[in-house]
Amino acid sequence: MEENKERIPTEREISLCPCKSQLNYGICCRPFHFGQEKPKTAEQLMRSRYSAYFFRKVDYLVETTYPDTRAPSLREELQKTIYQANWSFLTVLGKIRGGELDKTGKVEFVAEYFANGEPFELHECSRFKRYKGVWKYLDDKG
C-alpha cells in the first residue's frame, strides 16, 4: 500500500490572512514569507510586510527593505522591538501606481496595534520601489 505523503496545511495556513485580504494565509502572504513567490504589486508587498510584523518575521522585513534606505542596524532594532506591538487590524486607504508594470508606488494605510495594553494606530503613506525587478519598501515619506 502506497503511503499518502500529501502535506496537511496548518491551522495558520487555512486561517484568514492578517493582512485583511480575505484570502487564507496559505495562499496570500505565506508564499512571500517563505520565498516561494515575490509580491507582484506594491500593495501585496505592503500587506505581506504587515503580516510579517504580525507573525514577527524579522528576516522578511529586513529582506524586503530597499537596500539604499535600509539602516545597517535594522535587524537588531527589529529583534529588540518586534514583540512590543501586537498588530490587530489593517485598513488600506489608497494606492498610487505600484502595479505589476510600475517601477514605483505608494500605499496609504492605517495599522492598528496594542502596546502595553493600550490601543494605537499607525497611519502611513509608504513608498515602494523595485530593486532588481523585485518590490521593496523604500520609506514612509509618501
Side-chain angles (χ1 to χ4, degrees):
M1 185 164 104
E2 214 174 283
E3 201 174 312
N4 183 359
K5 295 188 179 188
E6 185 176 322
R7 189 177 162 283
I8 299 171
T10 64
E11 187 174 330
R12 179 178 283 177
E13 291 174 77
I14 59 174
S15 296
L16 288 178
C17 193
C19 81
K20 304 301 180 204
S21 66
Q22 299 304 307
L23 298 172
N24 292 349
Y25 174 67
I27 61 170
C28 188
C29 291
R30 185 184 187 283
F32 305 138
H33 292 165
F34 287 85
Q36 298 159 329
E37 293 179 29
K38 299 288 185 197
K40 293 178 179 72
T41 68
E43 182 180 351
Q44 279 184 333
L45 178 59
M46 186 280 303
R47 287 180 180 277
S48 71
R49 285 176 56 86
Y50 171 85
S51 291
Y53 276 103
F54 184 92
F55 290 128
R56 297 174 168 99
K57 296 190 165 296
V58 170
D59 290 341
Y60 184 80
L61 293 166
V62 171
E63 187 262 314
T64 57
T65 301
Y66 199 82
D68 294 350
T69 57
R70 184 188 308 150
S73 60
L74 178 60
R75 181 179 309 282
E76 293 76 27
E77 290 170 23
L78 285 169
Q79 288 170 333
K80 277 194 249 177
T81 61
I82 198 85
Y83 290 94
Q84 293 175 358
N86 290 309
W87 299 93
S88 58
F89 205 82
L90 176 68
T91 304
V92 175
L93 301 175
K95 58 190 174 206
I96 300 171
R97 292 183 308 280
E100 292 188 38
L101 302 176
D102 294 318
K103 293 181 181 171
T104 62
K106 293 180 186 180
V107 181
E108 183 179 7
F109 65 92
V110 174
E112 298 174 32
Y113 66 97
F114 288 86
N116 297 319
E118 296 291 321
F120 294 91
E121 285 186 353
L122 169 67
H123 183 180
E124 189 172 292
C125 189
S126 297
R127 295 190 312 161
F128 297 88
K129 186 176 179 180
R130 289 192 189 267
Y131 178 78
K132 297 184 179 179
V134 178
W135 283 109
K136 301 286 183 181
Y137 168 76
L138 187 63
D139 58 32
D140 64 352
K141 296 179 175 135

